[in-house]
């Protein structure tokens, strides 16, 4: 469609220069991804290869983190099997597989929870929503931005024409899925672009969701009937900051936790509120320009380099320090006692996940 073509650019195949993060001695940590083959490349995959390699939550969390840390100079093993000792970083789905066996007594597990329920038998968890972190056993890390992001074309200046949603179409509120939504935008001279697809039953189209060249505003609202948003990440907002585009987002805890200024984003709870926000931006070009500048300023906090440094700090300093705390060893040895509680929690909260 013309809408998809408007956001399409040839994907970048250049290798990113390693982020400006100094190399540090790695802790005794391994990344574990069931089905992963041997990784012997001398250098990390480029952005196009990384984008092609990510085919779901497990690879987005584990393979991408392993690759990004290699870009940052922190080389850690990636294996399909658990090590016998040290720290193992793995996705919640893989932990559920391995947890059916007896875990090695000298192994400490760091589980990326993603959209899954808590893994109470894990020693530590990495969570994607700041609301979920206690900074003792659970730690928040920004999820990685979309690989190979193509920023908004700076020559567009204050142009406000293309309103874009980068995500699974079925996750939008019904009013934004309706053909009438695009019709409501046309009198304002606005086009509605959905490069991830435009059918509720279709899977996410991965070919163009990194291309923001002609996006002027990003919309990131979720259908509240489909899921409870308190375990969802703020990734769409982080992507918008990185490409320098103002964002209109839903009233979700992950977005609100990152707000430090009114210009960080505009919050909207429904289609009418999105329309009002768009009219406001059209009527006030200086507000639009200020939000673009603010996005560029916030982007420095969520670059791959910044996220890699957060991971390095966790793996080499924070989590090893927590491991050595007096009472945690007891919890590690008795983690099997959490099994009954987790089963009860899952039965009571099945609708959330």
């Amino acid at each position: 469609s013309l809408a998809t073509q408007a956001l399409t650019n040839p994907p970048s195949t250049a290798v990113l220069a390693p982020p400006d993060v100094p190399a540090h001695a790695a802790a005794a940590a391994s990344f574990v991804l069931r089905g992963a083959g041997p990784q012997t490349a001398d250098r990390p995959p480029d952005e196009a290869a990384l984008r092609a390699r990510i085919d779901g939550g497990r690879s987005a969390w584990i393979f991408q983190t392993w690759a990004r840390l290699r870009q940052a100079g922190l080389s850690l093993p990636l294996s399909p099997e658990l090590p016998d000792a040290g720290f193992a970083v793995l996705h919640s789905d893989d932990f559920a597989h391995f947890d059916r066996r007896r875990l090695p007594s000298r192994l400490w597990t760091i589980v990326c929870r993603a959209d899954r329920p808590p893994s109470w038998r894990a020693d530590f968890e990495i969570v994607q929503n700041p609301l979920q972190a206690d900074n003792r056993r659970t730690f928040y890390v920004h999820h990685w931005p979309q690989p190979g992001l193509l920023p908004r074309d700076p020559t567009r200046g204050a142009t406000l024409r293309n309103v874009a949603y980068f995500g699974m179409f079925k996750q939008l509120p019904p009013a934004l899925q309706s053909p009438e939504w695009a019709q409501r935008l046309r009198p304002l001279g606005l086009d509605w672009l959905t490069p991830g697809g435009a059918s509720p039953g279709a899977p996410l189209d991965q070919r163009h969701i990194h291309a923001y060249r002609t996006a002027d505003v990003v919309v990131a609202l979720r259908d509240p009937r489909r899921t409870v948003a308190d375990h969802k990440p703020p990734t769409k907002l982080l992507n918008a900051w990185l490409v320098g585009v103002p964002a209109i987002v839903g009233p979700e805890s992950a977005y609100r936790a990152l707000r430090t200024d009114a210009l960080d984003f505009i919050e909207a709870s429904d289609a009418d509120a999105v329309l009002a926000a768009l009219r406001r931006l059209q009527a006030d070009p200086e507000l639009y320009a200020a939000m673009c500048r603010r996005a560029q300023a916030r982007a420095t906090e969520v670059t791959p380099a910044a996220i890699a440094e957060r991971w390095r700090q966790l793996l080499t300093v924070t989590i090893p320090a927590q491991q050595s705390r007096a009472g945690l060893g007891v919890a590690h040895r008795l983690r099997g006692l959490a099994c009954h509680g987790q089963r009860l929690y899952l039965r009571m909260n099945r609708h959330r996940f």
Side-chain angles (χ1 to χ4, degrees):
S1 69
L2 290 176
T4 299
Q5 292 172 11
L7 280 167
T8 305
N9 278 277
S12 172
T13 58
V15 177
L16 255 65
D20 188 19
V21 177
H24 295 271
S30 301
F31 283 85
V32 177
L33 180 64
R34 285 194 304 132
Q39 306 295 331
T40 58
D42 292 334
R43 61 181 183 178
D46 63 29
E47 294 299 291
L50 185 57
R51 189 167 62 250
R53 177 63 177 79
I54 295 173
D55 57 4
R58 293 191 311 124
S59 54
W61 273 101
I62 302 305
F63 182 83
Q64 184 171 202
T65 302
W66 170 83
R68 294 293 189 190
L69 290 180
R70 278 179 63 91
Q71 290 177 342
L74 186 62
S75 294
L76 298 172
L78 175 67
S79 168
E81 295 294 336
L82 290 172
D84 293 329
F87 292 104
V89 184
L90 67 166
H91 188 275
S92 179
D93 290 354
D94 285 349
F95 180 72
H97 168 81
F98 289 117
D99 196 30
R100 298 189 185 101
R101 316 176 195 174
R102 182 180 179 85
L103 295 176
S105 61
R106 295 184 298 132
L107 179 69
W108 294 74
T109 52
I110 304 171
V111 172
C112 297
R113 185 186 297 179
D115 285 340
R116 304 299 187 250
S119 295
W120 288 335
R121 295 187 68 188
D123 296 301
F124 301 97
E125 289 187 274
I126 305 298
V127 295
Q128 61 186 8
N129 186 310
L131 198 66
Q132 299 171 311
D134 62 17
N135 293 320
R136 295 185 300 275
R137 181 187 164 274
T138 58
F139 301 92
Y140 171 72
V141 181
H142 292 314
H143 198 12
W144 300 101
Q146 186 71 31
L149 283 174
L150 299 178
R152 182 175 185 262
D153 184 349
T155 65
R156 294 185 68 78
T159 300
L160 204 174
R161 180 175 182 83
N162 293 329
V163 182
Y165 169 73
F166 292 82
M168 296 185 69
F169 193 76
K170 68 181 181 181
Q171 292 182 350
L172 281 166
L176 298 185
Q177 294 185 33
S178 168
E180 286 73 29
W181 171 244
Q183 295 172 9
R184 294 181 71 182
L185 296 180
R186 288 193 190 109
L188 301 178
L190 299 174
D191 291 330
W192 177 233
L193 310 180
T194 57
S199 171
L204 181 66
D205 186 342
Q206 298 277 359
R207 294 173 297 171
H208 309 306
I209 58 171
H210 65 293
Y212 289 69
R213 291 294 197 198
T214 59
D216 300 317
V217 177
V218 166
V219 170
L221 269 68
R222 201 184 308 274
D223 184 354
R225 304 172 309 167
R226 292 188 57 86
T227 183
V228 178
D230 281 347
H231 66 282
K232 290 293 186 179
T235 308
K236 291 182 177 64
L237 176 61
L238 308 189
N239 287 338
W241 285 347
L242 285 164
V243 299
V245 176
I248 302 172
V249 306
E252 297 185 16
S253 61
Y255 299 138
R256 291 174 174 175
L258 299 185
R259 170 166 251 163
T260 60
D261 188 277
L263 296 174
D264 286 339
F265 56 82
I266 297 176
E267 186 175 294
S269 58
D270 54 29
D272 290 340
V274 173
L275 203 62
L278 291 169
R279 288 194 176 107
R280 179 182 168 199
L281 290 170
Q282 281 189 319
D284 190 348
E286 178 50 39
L287 172 63
Y288 180 84
M291 290 192 70
C292 289
R293 292 192 297 270
R294 180 63 181 174
Q296 294 165 1
R298 291 303 304 268
T300 61
E301 305 169 28
V302 298
T303 61
I307 298 172
E309 172 59 20
R310 168 67 170 158
W311 270 101
R312 185 205 64 79
Q313 184 73 17
L314 283 173
L315 294 180
T316 64
V317 179
T318 306
I319 289 178
Q322 288 294 95
Q323 176 204 24
S324 66
R325 289 183 54 182
L328 196 54
V330 175
H332 174 70
R333 291 190 294 271
L334 299 179
R335 60 185 168 189
L337 296 179
C339 193
H340 173 72
Q342 180 151 14
R343 290 195 187 102
L344 179 63
Y345 178 86
L346 292 176
R347 284 199 298 269
M348 296 176 63
N349 294 276
R350 189 175 303 165
H351 66 286
R352 293 172 58 93
F353 302 100

